[in-house]
Amino acid sequence: MRILFCPYCRESFEGIDECPEHRLWLVEIDQLPPEDGRAPSGVSFFVDPRFGRGPVLAGAALVLFGFALPFVRSG
């Protein structure tokens, strides 16, 4: 019999194809997502380089800077 794992709780099961608690299809051990693959909470979610959002955040900051620039007067 094959041993399969729930991708959510990482619990192992034998002889069934669906996690009884989470109703998810079970997968082989090599198909499990990495443990640290969960998204971090808070502000670091937007600037974490692992998610590729740095360039998007920089672009948004440039757009806001360009929008506010006409309102700034040099005295």
Side-chain angles (χ1 to χ4, degrees), residues 12-30:
S12 63
F13 298 96
E14 190 174 343
I16 58 175
D17 292 329
E18 186 178 289
C19 179
E21 284 187 43
H22 303 109
R23 307 274 187 218
L24 294 172
W25 290 106
L26 301 175
V27 296
E28 299 276 339
I29 193 166
D30 58 344

Side-chain angles (χ1 to χ4, degrees), residues 5-71:
F5 296 85
C6 174
Y8 184 76
C9 65
R10 305 176 86 69
E11 193 74 30
S12 63
F13 298 96
E14 190 174 343
I16 58 175
D17 292 329
E18 186 178 289
C19 179
E21 284 187 43
H22 303 109
R23 307 274 187 218
L24 294 172
W25 290 106
L26 301 175
V27 296
E28 299 276 339
I29 193 166
D30 58 344
Q31 295 175 343
L32 281 175
E35 284 190 54
D36 64 346
R38 296 188 179 100
S41 61
V43 177
S44 66
F45 177 75
F46 294 105
V47 295
D48 193 348
R50 292 180 296 171
F51 297 105
R53 292 189 175 97
V56 176
L57 185 64
L62 284 174
V63 167
L64 289 175
F65 178 73
F67 177 76
L69 196 60
F71 299 107

